[in-house]
Amino acid sequence: MKFGLAFLLCSYIAQSCLPPKVYDFEFDNEYDCMVAGYSESLKQIEHIGRLDVNEHRMYIKFGCFEIPSTEEDI
């Protein structure tokens, strides 16, 4: 079983989120997916910067999802 990772960049001010961004990597287990989610979320918040995060009250939500296996994987 493989896992995918998806992010949502949201704003409390706008009361909305951008469309999900799916990470371009598949994980072998949920633990590795979750660790990557926290790590990448921190990188993105730091990239956006203190000013924009504070001004727009931005935050990131992420989740790991199971990728359905195909017959080729078996």
Side-chain angles (χ1 to χ4, degrees):
M1 169 182 346
K2 297 282 189 175
F3 291 88
L5 177 61
F7 294 93
L8 291 171
L9 178 60
C10 305
S11 166
Y12 284 112
I13 300 294
Q15 296 182 349
S16 65
C17 299
L18 294 175
K21 179 181 178 196
V22 178
Y23 198 70
D24 293 334
F25 186 81
E26 293 181 358
F27 299 89
D28 292 326
N29 58 70
E30 199 160 7
Y31 175 87
D32 291 342
C33 180
M34 294 293 291
V35 169
Y38 283 109
S39 176
E40 289 300 316
S41 292
L42 177 58
K43 287 178 190 175
Q44 287 302 312
I45 288 295
E46 290 175 338
H47 177 74
I48 292 166
R50 183 183 309 269
L51 183 66
D52 284 335
V53 169
N54 289 332
E55 182 178 340
H56 301 288
R57 296 190 57 210
M58 299 170 83
Y59 61 98
I60 293 177
K61 299 192 303 186
F62 72 87
C64 296
F65 58 93
E66 188 176 335
I67 298 172
S69 59
T70 61
E71 288 184 30
E72 295 173 0
D73 294 336
I74 299 174

PDB file of all heavy atoms in Angstrom, residues 3 18 20-21 35 39 41 44 56 60 68:
ATOM      1  N   PHE A   3       1.013   5.713  -0.013  1.00  0.00           N
ATOM      2  CA  PHE A   3       0.287   6.871   0.490  1.00  0.00           C
ATOM      3  C   PHE A   3       0.701   8.116  -0.267  1.00  0.00           C
ATOM      4  O   PHE A   3       1.860   8.283  -0.629  1.00  0.00           O
ATOM      5  CB  PHE A   3       0.568   7.076   1.988  1.00  0.00           C
ATOM      6  CG  PHE A   3      -0.022   6.002   2.839  1.00  0.00           C
ATOM      7  CD1 PHE A   3       0.690   4.853   3.106  1.00  0.00           C
ATOM      8  CD2 PHE A   3      -1.300   6.128   3.353  1.00  0.00           C
ATOM      9  CE1 PHE A   3       0.158   3.847   3.885  1.00  0.00           C
ATOM     10  CE2 PHE A   3      -1.847   5.128   4.130  1.00  0.00           C
ATOM     11  CZ  PHE A   3      -1.120   3.982   4.396  1.00  0.00           C
ATOM     12  N   LEU A  18      -7.022  27.526  -0.959  1.00  0.00           N
ATOM     13  CA  LEU A  18      -6.710  27.300  -2.368  1.00  0.00           C
ATOM     14  C   LEU A  18      -6.979  25.833  -2.697  1.00  0.00           C
ATOM     15  O   LEU A  18      -7.067  24.992  -1.789  1.00  0.00           O
ATOM     16  CB  LEU A  18      -5.245  27.631  -2.641  1.00  0.00           C
ATOM     17  CG  LEU A  18      -4.850  29.105  -2.483  1.00  0.00           C
ATOM     18  CD1 LEU A  18      -3.347  29.262  -2.653  1.00  0.00           C
ATOM     19  CD2 LEU A  18      -5.590  29.959  -3.487  1.00  0.00           C
ATOM     20  N   PRO A  20      -6.370  21.979  -3.505  1.00  0.00           N
ATOM     21  CA  PRO A  20      -5.314  21.135  -2.940  1.00  0.00           C
ATOM     22  C   PRO A  20      -4.127  20.978  -3.884  1.00  0.00           C
ATOM     23  O   PRO A  20      -4.281  20.957  -5.097  1.00  0.00           O
ATOM     24  CB  PRO A  20      -5.991  19.781  -2.738  1.00  0.00           C
ATOM     25  CG  PRO A  20      -7.392  19.922  -3.151  1.00  0.00           C
ATOM     26  CD  PRO A  20      -7.613  21.275  -3.699  1.00  0.00           C
ATOM     27  N   LYS A  21      -2.960  20.900  -3.283  1.00  0.00           N
ATOM     28  CA  LYS A  21      -1.743  20.606  -4.030  1.00  0.00           C
ATOM     29  C   LYS A  21      -1.271  19.226  -3.582  1.00  0.00           C
ATOM     30  O   LYS A  21      -1.040  19.008  -2.391  1.00  0.00           O
ATOM     31  CB  LYS A  21      -0.664  21.645  -3.743  1.00  0.00           C
ATOM     32  CG  LYS A  21       0.622  21.355  -4.479  1.00  0.00           C
ATOM     33  CD  LYS A  21       1.694  22.363  -4.183  1.00  0.00           C
ATOM     34  CE  LYS A  21       2.951  21.940  -4.935  1.00  0.00           C
ATOM     35  NZ  LYS A  21       4.138  22.594  -4.450  1.00  0.00           N
ATOM     36  N   VAL A  35       5.365  12.663   8.492  1.00  0.00           N
ATOM     37  CA  VAL A  35       6.590  13.407   8.791  1.00  0.00           C
ATOM     38  C   VAL A  35       6.887  14.385   7.651  1.00  0.00           C
ATOM     39  O   VAL A  35       7.223  15.549   7.887  1.00  0.00           O
ATOM     40  CB  VAL A  35       7.774  12.450   9.043  1.00  0.00           C
ATOM     41  CG1 VAL A  35       9.096  13.203   9.088  1.00  0.00           C
ATOM     42  CG2 VAL A  35       7.555  11.676  10.346  1.00  0.00           C
ATOM     43  N   SER A  39       7.059  18.557   7.789  1.00  0.00           N
ATOM     44  CA  SER A  39       8.283  19.187   7.319  1.00  0.00           C
ATOM     45  C   SER A  39       8.000  20.150   6.160  1.00  0.00           C
ATOM     46  O   SER A  39       8.473  21.299   6.149  1.00  0.00           O
ATOM     47  CB  SER A  39       9.274  18.107   6.889  1.00  0.00           C
ATOM     48  OG  SER A  39      10.434  18.680   6.353  1.00  0.00           O
ATOM     49  N   SER A  41       5.128  21.509   5.354  1.00  0.00           N
ATOM     50  CA  SER A  41       4.277  22.612   5.816  1.00  0.00           C
ATOM     51  C   SER A  41       5.128  23.721   6.410  1.00  0.00           C
ATOM     52  O   SER A  41       4.917  24.907   6.129  1.00  0.00           O
ATOM     53  CB  SER A  41       3.274  22.114   6.857  1.00  0.00           C
ATOM     54  OG  SER A  41       2.337  21.250   6.275  1.00  0.00           O
ATOM     55  N   GLN A  44       6.929  25.621   3.663  1.00  0.00           N
ATOM     56  CA  GLN A  44       6.036  26.509   2.914  1.00  0.00           C
ATOM     57  C   GLN A  44       5.681  27.761   3.713  1.00  0.00           C
ATOM     58  O   GLN A  44       5.663  28.864   3.165  1.00  0.00           O
ATOM     59  CB  GLN A  44       4.764  25.766   2.502  1.00  0.00           C
ATOM     60  CG  GLN A  44       4.986  24.778   1.379  1.00  0.00           C
ATOM     61  CD  GLN A  44       5.558  25.443   0.137  1.00  0.00           C
ATOM     62  OE1 GLN A  44       5.072  26.474  -0.326  1.00  0.00           O
ATOM     63  NE2 GLN A  44       6.616  24.859  -0.400  1.00  0.00           N
ATOM     64  N   HIS A  56      -2.550  37.847   6.319  1.00  0.00           N
ATOM     65  CA  HIS A  56      -3.682  37.086   5.778  1.00  0.00           C
ATOM     66  C   HIS A  56      -4.135  35.959   6.703  1.00  0.00           C
ATOM     67  O   HIS A  56      -5.053  35.220   6.356  1.00  0.00           O
ATOM     68  CB  HIS A  56      -3.308  36.502   4.411  1.00  0.00           C
ATOM     69  CG  HIS A  56      -2.931  37.565   3.425  1.00  0.00           C
ATOM     70  ND1 HIS A  56      -3.844  38.425   2.867  1.00  0.00           N
ATOM     71  CD2 HIS A  56      -1.724  37.919   2.919  1.00  0.00           C
ATOM     72  CE1 HIS A  56      -3.224  39.255   2.050  1.00  0.00           C
ATOM     73  NE2 HIS A  56      -1.928  38.967   2.067  1.00  0.00           N
ATOM     74  N   ILE A  60      -1.672  26.070   6.912  1.00  0.00           N
ATOM     75  CA  ILE A  60      -1.634  24.935   5.999  1.00  0.00           C
ATOM     76  C   ILE A  60      -2.273  23.737   6.672  1.00  0.00           C
ATOM     77  O   ILE A  60      -2.003  23.450   7.836  1.00  0.00           O
ATOM     78  CB  ILE A  60      -0.185  24.599   5.584  1.00  0.00           C
ATOM     79  CG1 ILE A  60       0.383  25.731   4.732  1.00  0.00           C
ATOM     80  CG2 ILE A  60      -0.132  23.270   4.823  1.00  0.00           C
ATOM     81  CD1 ILE A  60       1.827  25.551   4.327  1.00  0.00           C
ATOM     82  N   PRO A  68      -4.987   3.826  -4.107  1.00  0.00           N
ATOM     83  CA  PRO A  68      -5.472   2.491  -4.466  1.00  0.00           C
ATOM     84  C   PRO A  68      -4.428   1.729  -5.295  1.00  0.00           C
ATOM     85  O   PRO A  68      -3.816   2.293  -6.193  1.00  0.00           O
ATOM     86  CB  PRO A  68      -6.722   2.773  -5.303  1.00  0.00           C
ATOM     87  CG  PRO A  68      -7.103   4.167  -4.991  1.00  0.00           C
ATOM     88  CD  PRO A  68      -5.833   4.882  -4.615  1.00  0.00           C
TER      89      PRO A  68
END
